[in-house]
Amino acid sequence: MSDSSPLPPVRLKSEAELARDALTAPLLSRAARLARWAGPDTRVGAGGDLVEEQLPQAAGELGLTGDDAAAYASEAWRVAVDTGLVEIVDEEEGTVTAGAELALLTGGAPQDVLQAWLGALETVLADASVPDLDDLVDAMDEGGSVDFSQLDWDPEAEAEFLDGVLGNLYLLTVGEEGLGESMVPLPALAASMIVPDDMGEPTDDVLEQVSDAMMRLDDQFRLLEPVGLVEFQPVDEALMADGEEEGEGEGDRDGDDRGGEPAPVDETDVSRYGMVRLTPLGLYGLRARLLEAGIDAPAVGDLSDKGADALLDGTSGFPPAAAQAETEQWLARREPLDAARELLAAARGTDPGAPLRRLRCQQALSLVGAVAEPALREVLDDAELGGLARVWLAERGAADVPAPPEAMVFWLTVDTVAAQLAAEGNSTELQALVEGLAAQHSGFFAAAWRVDHPATADVLEAMGRLHPDKKVAKEARKAAFKARSAQGG
């Protein structure tokens, strides 16, 4: 994920809600239980790992059974040590005691809980970049040391790959209007890291790389789900079995020894290949990591204590739903009439960003009630704000709204198109607006080039690009030339 492009704002749950989610995340919950269980007889080895003979007891404390019980207990213990829930008293003796962070986990502020959870997340992310245990065993020499050259494993590259995948998942989530409710297929995430943007049809080699990456992500997300980062639907085991059986004879695949038919499999069901989405806690965690890396990752509410100028400029690149949510939080902290006056004052200007500020101002004022009417009447004679003030008053059925002079109508038209250009570029909606303006006013271009607005020439040039009628487009370009000449350009 590039750190040069602005990220959309993320809508986060409150810290109290996130802290509750963190406390119920299976891995942190297990780590806390082991920290309370640890006593004078608990022993650790090198690196703080629980000694092997105590792992069954730890697993029993957690209610874990089965072949993986000891491994899960070991992971929970490692998180307890890494997050300070357990502290090593004497490294030589291998003794431990409850850490200071354990009390904060239950008696501290939500931020204390979230800090502990972020520590657990870092531990799991580091584990997720480590090769599979079977691969480590295969690469181990007779002396018990691992020959990393046999693993084809680059720790830095593995960490960067996982960071990139999580970054793309974050972008997909914050870019949605539904708070990231959709599950993302693993093949799509893998392809986002491997398939070049300019590649048309992926080659067989690229598809094989995507398949390998998908399986690697399946392993990694299985590790990341217990910490509460993601909700995850693993790759269908039947799908993996299908791949393992490709070399077997048809008779082996047609049925079992009793002559039964195999269960039908839908090869087009993308969910079989694994699905994932970030949890609200996961969104919080990834944003924290982005901020730690120096990447600007805004959150809705960041501007609520800033001035109106910061609100209008800051929301200029937000998706509509996020812009409205940010504005609602900003308005909630202010008296409506004072807020309206502050917004109108911040909307003035002749700089390139001013038209979009005025559009955001108009959208913000639509959320303010009738109590703001005096603020709008105060700017009726303002050359820059009088047009939008009339629109606001007319939409609410206000009485005694003076008709705008023709110069104000044309100025507001140019300002509106300039704002739409800044917000959406050459969109379908803007093209429809351009066509409508040209159709409604037969002499539009003859008058528009004289409008005293800094963006007049740019707007007319855009209209010339966007209008499908060649004759009308030519008129727009001629008008743009006149406007630029009049402005001394």
Side-chain angles (χ1 to χ4, degrees), residues 419-464:
Q420 294 290 349
L421 274 171
E424 303 174 6
N426 300 334
S427 65
T428 304
E429 292 77 8
L430 183 56
Q431 182 175 344
L433 175 61
V434 166
E435 291 181 43
L437 287 171
Q440 292 170 18
H441 306 280
S442 58
F444 178 82
F445 296 113
W449 72 266
R450 303 175 189 274
V451 175
D452 185 19
H453 190 295
T456 297
D458 291 336
V459 164
L460 292 170
E461 284 180 355
M463 294 181 77

Side-chain angles (χ1 to χ4, degrees), residues 245-258:
E245 293 174 0
E246 282 183 358
E248 298 179 8
E250 288 295 322
D252 294 331
R253 294 196 298 268
D254 286 344
D256 58 23
D257 293 338
R258 295 166 294 177

Side-chain angles (χ1 to χ4, degrees), residues 229-241:
L229 184 75
V230 295
E231 294 177 22
F232 181 54
Q233 178 180 323
V235 174
D236 187 349
E237 292 185 3
L239 185 70
M240 292 186 279

Side-chain angles (χ1 to χ4, degrees), residues 52 68 101 115-116 134 137 180 218 307 337 342 348 357 474:
E52 188 172 350
D68 296 325
E101 299 299 322
Q115 281 300 118
D134 291 338
V137 172
D218 181 67
L337 183 56
E342 188 179 348
R348 288 190 176 94
R357 278 204 307 278
K474 186 176 181 180

Side-chain angles (χ1 to χ4, degrees), residues 44-192:
V44 296
D49 289 340
L50 198 61
V51 293
E52 188 172 350
E53 53 267 28
Q54 291 188 337
L55 284 174
Q57 186 180 353
E61 177 67 22
L62 298 175
L64 299 172
T65 58
D67 295 339
D68 296 325
Y72 290 142
S74 177
E75 180 186 33
W77 179 263
R78 190 162 58 254
V79 166
V81 172
D82 289 350
T83 56
L85 301 179
V86 169
E87 293 180 0
I88 299 174
V89 177
D90 188 321
E91 290 187 6
E92 291 187 4
E93 294 292 330
T95 54
V96 299
T97 188
E101 299 299 322
L102 181 60
L104 291 177
L105 202 61
T106 52
Q111 186 60 39
D112 297 321
V113 175
L114 292 173
Q115 281 300 118
W117 180 82
L118 287 171
L121 176 61
E122 290 302 320
T123 295
V124 178
L125 287 171
D127 288 347
S129 299
V130 174
D132 183 81
L133 181 60
D134 291 338
D135 293 336
L136 287 173
V137 172
D138 291 341
M140 192 173 292
D141 59 27
E142 293 181 358
S145 299
V146 177
D147 182 0
F148 288 100
S149 64
Q150 291 187 30
L151 289 173
D152 190 24
W153 175 57
D154 182 341
E156 186 174 336
E158 286 293 327
E160 287 180 359
F161 177 82
L162 184 56
D163 281 345
V165 166
L166 294 175
N168 287 345
L169 187 56
Y170 182 89
L171 278 175
L172 288 169
T173 306
V174 299
E176 292 183 1
E177 293 297 345
L179 288 175
E181 295 175 356
S182 301
M183 297 284 277
V184 180
L186 285 197
L189 274 180
S192 72

Side-chain angles (χ1 to χ4, degrees), residues 306-325:
K306 305 287 194 303
D309 53 347
L311 174 73
L312 298 181
D313 284 332
T315 57
S316 62
F318 284 15
Q324 179 171 330

